[in-house]
Amino acid sequence: MIHKLKRKFILINMSIIFAVLSLMLILVLSSSDFRFKKSYETALLSEMNLAKPGSRRFSREPQGSSDKVSFTVHLEQNSWKLLTPWLDIDEDDLHELIERANMETNDMGFWQDEGIAYQKRDNRIAYVNMESEYERHMSNKTTWIVVYVAVLVIFAFISVFLAQWAIRPVKKAWQNQKSFISDASHELKTPLTVILANLEIAMQNGGESKWLGVAKAEAEHMKKLIDNLLFLARSDENMHLSNTKRIHFSQLLQELTLAFDAIAFENNLILEEHIENDIYVQGDTDLLRQLISILLENAIKYTPKNNRICVRLSGKQDTLKLSVQNRGSVISQEKLERLFERFYRLDEARTKGGYGLGLSIAQKITLLHGGTIKASSSETEGTIFTVILNKA
């Protein structure tokens, strides 16, 4: 839980930072593109206004140097004439530029590959060499992108540090809670074992008694709760599977389905099975047995009488799919999302018996085996719990 909380904190922080920085980068790059466009449009406008046939401006080479080389061609008697006689331009290059401009649908534009801006107007085509400006423009954009990435990385490290600092009190409280549950469960287990043993002796010596029977049933119920709490406490401490082996999962499921068939019959239910043969998994037999038992108990407990429960097992490539389907009340999507929370029970039919730990334990066992578990519910399909595990 702590790791999920930490990841969520970092994700929220980085999402906000990413959105703000991305917006800023878009604005900066858009502004840079706009300024560059205005720059070549202004240069083209100036060139077009000054470059007129017979203009004295183009009768001789201008004095001084300029980083923008500009020239204009004019269509005269079906022939293009350069209006800048002092400018030395290769005939082939000039012809290629004229042909390319004539092919353009827009009257004004910029060729990135050439670094040249053009404008067509009144049988004239003006050209401005913006190569150096374009290189500076692209260099500035690259710099801004590098800065953007660097700032994101810096904020990522800051978010990790802040997340660790922010969840420190939560982590301490969570660890204290886990320690309390684990220690309390251990302390309760010993006297409860003694109580059960004494009740067994009393029932053997004094004969059957409904009071002793009720006391024993409640004590066993409490023992099961303590065992479940201990299992969850150990799993919260990153419990790993140590006693794993190759298990004949099809056979294990058939055995448990047969065992629960009598319980289903007592509840006027029909337990159907569709189990594919020879499916194996790598895992802990006792835990997988507990997983299957939880799903079957859950289905029997919450299925109305005179209905069917269907157990299916199938294999596909490297995975197996186990599903337990019952025809109980339809569960809303909001409640489905909370089914695997600890101590959570539905308000209506699912409040009878138990402490709301079974499905949490089923989820933990599935995760320990590297699988997934989910629940779905609808009017047509009923409620289905589906477990996906890797085949061995």
Side-chain angles (χ1 to χ4, degrees):
M1 188 186 93
I2 298 298
H3 294 297
K4 289 183 179 179
L5 182 62
K6 180 180 176 180
R7 287 195 296 268
K8 187 177 291 185
F9 183 92
I10 295 172
L11 180 62
I12 292 173
N13 273 357
M14 290 306 300
S15 297
I16 295 173
I17 293 168
F18 175 78
V20 173
L21 290 179
S22 296
L23 179 61
M24 291 177 61
L25 180 66
I26 291 171
L27 291 175
V28 169
L29 296 183
S30 299
S31 176
S32 180
D33 289 337
F34 178 77
R35 289 196 302 271
F36 176 72
K37 185 178 180 181
K38 290 295 292 183
S39 174
Y40 75 71
E41 286 179 351
T42 301
L44 285 169
L45 182 62
S46 176
E47 173 68 20
M48 186 64 75
N49 289 335
L50 292 175
K52 297 179 181 178
S55 172
R56 297 180 61 186
R57 173 180 180 268
F58 295 96
S59 60
R60 59 186 179 86
E61 183 176 355
Q63 300 298 315
S65 60
S66 173
D67 58 349
K68 291 187 181 69
V69 177
S70 58
F71 59 94
T72 304
V73 293
H74 175 66
L75 182 61
E76 197 174 284
Q77 296 179 353
N78 295 325
S79 176
W80 290 97
K81 179 181 178 182
L82 181 64
L83 296 181
T84 316
W86 52 265
L87 193 63
D88 185 17
I89 301 178
D90 184 80
E91 290 290 337
D92 293 335
D93 292 340
L94 182 60
H95 179 73
E96 184 179 342
L97 291 175
I98 294 171
E99 289 293 328
R100 184 170 180 179
N102 285 326
M103 291 175 61
E104 296 287 350
T105 56
N106 296 324
D107 291 337
M108 181 185 294
F110 177 76
W111 298 323
Q112 296 181 4
D113 56 334
E114 298 283 353
I116 294 176
Y118 72 91
Q119 184 181 12
K120 301 182 290 184
R121 191 176 71 188
D122 300 333
N123 293 327
R124 283 178 293 158
I125 305 176
Y127 299 92
V128 178
N129 188 340
M130 300 288 294
E131 187 174 3
S132 58
E133 288 84 351
Y134 180 68
E135 288 178 355
R136 287 195 295 268
H137 167 65
M138 294 304 296
S139 177
N140 290 336
K141 290 180 68 172
T142 302
T143 302
W144 278 112
I145 293 173
V146 171
V147 170
Y148 164 80
V149 173
V151 172
L152 274 181
V153 172
I154 292 171
F155 270 108
F157 282 107
I158 294 174
S159 294
V160 171
F161 172 77
L162 290 177
Q164 291 176 342
W165 174 78
I167 67 172
R168 194 174 299 162
V170 180
K171 185 177 182 180
K172 184 177 180 181
W174 178 251
Q175 288 174 341
N176 290 338
Q177 177 183 323
K178 288 193 300 181
S179 299
F180 170 76
I181 293 174
S182 181
D183 295 342
S185 300
H186 277 295
E187 293 297 326
L188 289 171
K189 199 169 184 180
T190 300
L192 192 58
T193 303
V194 175
I195 291 171
L196 282 169
N198 289 335
L199 286 171
E200 188 70 32
I201 294 172
M203 292 177 69
Q204 290 176 358
N205 295 335
E208 292 293 332
S209 168
K210 68 175 183 178
W211 310 112
L212 292 176
V214 170
K216 183 182 177 184
E218 290 300 319
E220 289 175 345
H221 197 190
M222 183 176 291
K223 184 176 183 299
K224 184 177 181 180
L225 171 62
I226 291 172
D227 290 339
N228 290 340
L229 288 172
L230 278 172
F231 174 82
L232 290 173
R234 287 195 300 268
S235 64
D236 286 335
E237 297 172 357
N238 297 321
M239 183 181 74
H240 298 286
L241 296 177
S242 56
N243 185 28
T244 63
K245 61 180 181 180
R246 193 168 184 262
I247 302 168
H248 197 310
F249 195 76
S250 300
Q251 183 178 333
L252 177 64
L253 182 59
Q254 287 170 346
E255 292 174 358
L256 288 170
T257 304
L258 181 62
F260 276 89
D261 188 51
I263 303 174
F265 180 78
E266 290 177 359
N267 288 271
N268 295 325
L269 299 172
I270 298 175
L271 188 58
E272 293 182 352
E273 61 175 66
H274 303 277
I275 301 174
E276 190 174 313
N277 294 324
D278 298 326
I279 294 180
Y280 291 82
V281 295
Q282 188 74 24
D284 186 296
T285 305
D286 293 334
L287 291 180
L288 291 175
R289 184 183 297 273
Q290 186 178 5
L291 168 64
I292 298 170
S293 298
I294 289 171
L295 296 179
L296 291 175
E297 286 176 2
N298 194 69
I300 291 173
K301 186 183 296 184
Y302 302 123
T303 301
K305 292 183 178 181
N306 301 317
N307 275 279
R308 295 176 181 270
I309 297 171
C310 188
V311 180
R312 290 185 174 87
L313 176 66
S314 60
K316 183 179 180 180
Q317 295 180 348
D318 297 330
T319 60
L320 66 85
K321 179 180 178 181
L322 166 65
S323 64
V324 179
Q325 179 185 26
N326 67 78
R327 295 288 179 175
S329 303
V330 176
I331 306 172
S332 66
Q333 184 62 36
E334 180 183 358
K335 293 178 180 180
L336 276 175
E337 294 173 357
R338 298 193 59 193
L339 272 183
F340 297 100
E341 293 181 9
R342 297 177 190 181
F343 303 106
Y344 178 75
R345 293 181 297 178
L346 298 179
D347 296 332
E348 300 172 357
R350 292 178 179 255
T351 57
K352 51 186 179 181
Y355 294 95
L357 292 176
L359 292 178
S360 296
I361 292 173
Q363 185 183 51
K364 283 290 183 181
I365 294 173
T366 305
L367 293 175
L368 285 171
H369 286 81
T372 59
I373 183 171
K374 65 178 182 179
S376 62
S377 187
S378 65
E379 289 284 354
T380 55
E381 297 291 332
T383 300
I384 305 175
F385 287 89
T386 304
V387 176
I388 304 295
L389 296 173
N390 293 321
K391 291 165 61 177

